[in-house]
Amino acid sequence: MNKRIGILTSGGDCPGLNAIIRAVVKCACQKGWEVYGIPYGTDGFLKLEQGQCCSEDLKLQEHGYDLPGILHGIDILQFLSGSILGSLSRGNPSDPAIAKMIIQGYQNLQLDALIAVGGDGSLDIIYDLAEQGQWNLVAIPKTIDNDVPFTERSIGFRTAVDTVTSALYDLTFTAASHDRTIVVEVMGRNAGHLALHAGIAGGADIILIPELTPQIDSELITNICLRIAQLRLSGRKFALIVIAEGVKNQAGAKEKYIGDYLAQNINEMSHKLCLSDKPEFYDLDKLETRSTVLGHIQRSGTPSSYDRLLAATFAKKAIDLIAEEKYNQLVVWQSGTVQSQSLDKVIPHIKQCHQLGVCPSPVNKDGFLVQTARSLGIYLGNQESEVRSQKSGVRSQES
Ligand code: F6P
């Protein structure tokens, strides 16, 4: 049976969103279905209801986007970052009247199903709207933080790992030329996946992630200085430190730029230590520390082949689920294959974590990547100060 489906992207953008849109349109067109691209997440339904756009404006043809002129026909969408539909980070319609209009907008389009591409925050909101409006929802996980539970991979994460890894490569040479220690602050919200993956791949000497270093303390800073001093005594005069933005300051509070805060603390502590009588710290007298915040660069960049492939497989699965009329599902990557998980299981877990203020899918503190980093001699913080169990019932990922 021919179907009329919608697709929207919600929450922070990331590389690979357009690759999903393109693959959804391609798979749906093969079946003779119609696809409508909802602009700016659920705000698009509001615009429809308010008459600011009409359904014909939203219809996506062929692979979703065409260039004009002699380049017409080039299937370019999967190479572009961002989202041609736009995205929305503040999408929570706390006003019931707005929620009602969004639901009405959905009904006006007469959709058989909706594919929502989102992270933990936006999927939580869309799930509630879908429940109220009785939408036939299929969700696809995306985020550079890789913190959507029940899936080992989310769209955008691998490209962000490549971006950070490449930045670490570039920073290595300037650090080496000036015998400097460079602190690199990496995104990830409350999760350390991005910092851990890129830190190992990019050759970091020290990696600090919230799962292992919830907050900075003076013992940690002393140990970092000791590690840098050891490197310098061995002839390696530069060092790279990767810190995830989720690590907190000495008071356990969030800093605007935790990388700057750490760099300043290392500078102060190293000057103090080299005045001590301990020979292991003598080489710190000339230590210069700088910090770099990679920021939103991590959210853009050409989607990697991995993310494009993941986008294609996730889109195919979403279309299959709609064809089977199996709704209320999150498309997931588990044990090397694409599967789906009921949102009735996923969303309560996310809501519980949001209430507790913990990450819905943190790094596994005893996982293979943490062990690998330690085996490589990467300093991951003070093991004894690690919080062994964040909160009961919180799943952690293998990495
Ligand atoms: O969730 C993706 C993410 O990029 C986080 O890593 C980061 O903390 C946050 O979004 C930044 O959000 P904004 O773009 O609203 O500043």
Side-chain angles (χ1 to χ4, degrees):
M1 195 188 86
N2 278 358
K3 288 197 187 289
R4 193 177 158 98
I5 65 167
I7 179 165
L8 60 79
T9 52
S10 198
D13 71 325
C14 66
L17 296 177
N18 286 324
I20 300 177
I21 296 166
R22 166 202 180 251
V24 161
V25 175
K26 272 180 121 67
C27 293
C29 286
Q30 294 282 325
K31 292 186 177 296
W33 298 359
E34 288 178 352
V35 185
Y36 291 83
I38 317 301
Y40 297 103
T42 48
D43 251 21
F45 291 128
L46 199 60
K47 286 189 202 317
L48 264 171
E49 172 60 8
Q50 291 170 334
Q52 291 175 37
C53 59
C54 66
S55 61
E56 279 317 294
D57 297 340
L58 309 184
K59 203 160 171 191
L60 297 172
Q61 311 279 357
E62 309 229 352
H63 36 254
Y65 180 80
D66 270 322
L67 289 173
I70 56 168
L71 294 184
H72 179 86
I74 291 184
D75 188 356
I76 197 171
L77 206 50
Q78 64 168 330
F79 307 121
L80 302 180
S81 229
S83 167
I84 55 158
L85 298 175
S87 197
L88 192 68
S89 301
R90 27 138 214 111
N92 196 353
S94 42
D95 181 349
I98 301 280
K100 213 169 152 198
M101 286 169 90
I102 290 173
I103 289 164
Q104 189 56 50
Y106 179 94
Q107 278 164 7
N108 294 350
L109 255 187
Q110 297 178 312
L111 296 178
D112 293 307
L114 175 70
I115 297 176
V117 187
D120 61 328
S122 47
L123 292 181
D124 179 3
I125 295 163
I126 293 169
Y127 174 83
D128 289 346
L129 286 166
E131 217 175 23
Q132 282 179 60
Q134 296 179 311
W135 300 352
N136 293 327
L137 182 65
V138 172
I140 295 181
K142 65 86 222 171
T143 168
I144 64 164
D145 307 335
N146 209 37
D147 59 353
V148 177
F150 299 93
T151 181
E152 290 157 17
R153 293 284 173 253
S154 292
I155 301 288
F157 173 66
R158 283 293 188 96
T159 307
V161 170
D162 289 347
T163 302
V164 177
T165 304
S166 156
L168 291 175
Y169 174 82
D170 294 342
L171 289 166
T172 297
F173 297 97
T174 177
S177 302
H178 290 271
D179 292 348
R180 279 176 174 160
T181 288
I182 296 194
V183 177
V184 186
E185 182 183 315
V186 170
M187 278 186 171
R189 214 174 281 274
N190 297 321
H193 300 286
L194 186 52
L196 183 62
H197 279 72
I200 296 173
D205 303 293
I206 296 168
I207 303 172
L208 303 177
I209 59 173
E211 293 86 345
L212 298 174
T213 307
Q215 74 183 77
I216 289 168
D217 58 29
S218 57
E219 186 194 354
L220 177 93
I221 298 165
T222 306
N223 285 341
I224 290 173
C225 290
L226 182 59
R227 176 85 183 107
I228 295 168
Q230 284 165 345
L231 284 171
R232 291 173 77 90
L233 287 171
S234 74
R236 165 82 122 64
K237 298 289 183 186
F238 72 94
L240 285 183
I241 303 177
V242 172
I243 182 164
E245 64 175 351
V247 174
K248 306 277 191 341
N249 68 15
Q250 301 210 49
K254 189 167 167 43
E255 280 289 322
K256 187 164 186 207
Y257 297 115
I258 191 70
D260 284 355
Y261 177 88
L262 179 65
Q264 199 187 324
N265 274 276
I266 292 172
N267 268 330
E268 285 165 12
M269 183 67 88
S270 62
H271 291 135
K272 217 188 279 174
L273 291 171
C274 71
L275 295 176
S276 70
D277 285 339
K278 297 190 175 140
E280 64 264 39
F281 292 124
Y282 288 169
D283 204 49
L284 291 178
D285 62 341
K286 291 185 212 69
L287 183 70
E288 278 188 343
T289 309
R290 296 285 188 271
S291 84
T292 300
V293 183
L294 296 186
H296 288 80
I297 285 268
Q298 297 159 96
R299 292 241 294 251
S300 211
T302 306
S304 65
S305 54
Y306 185 94
D307 272 329
R308 285 183 226 163
L309 199 57
L310 198 62
T313 58
F314 277 7
K316 180 218 175 319
K317 182 69 181 180
I319 295 292
D320 287 351
L321 288 167
I322 295 172
E324 292 162 27
E325 303 194 345
K326 189 175 174 194
Y327 299 122
N328 203 26
Q329 297 289 307
L330 174 71
V331 176
V332 296
W333 185 270
Q334 276 170 357
S335 312
T337 183
V338 183
Q339 299 174 19
S340 74
Q341 186 67 250
S342 169
L343 284 168
D344 291 341
K345 193 168 171 190
V346 177
I347 301 294
H349 172 78
I350 290 177
K351 283 187 191 298
Q352 189 198 3
C353 291
H354 287 173
Q355 265 167 14
L356 294 170
V358 298
C359 175
S361 189
V363 169
N364 179 353
K365 293 190 281 280
D366 304 311
F368 196 70
L369 269 194
V370 168
Q371 291 175 30
T372 301
R374 289 209 168 103
S375 298
L376 291 171
I378 299 171
Y379 178 60
L380 295 178
N382 309 328
Q383 283 196 53
E384 62 277 14
S385 75
E386 288 169 12
V387 179
R388 298 307 303 174
S389 61
Q390 250 188 336
K391 299 270 171 166
S392 59
V394 177
R395 288 166 57 101
S396 59
Q397 292 194 21
E398 177 43 36
S399 66

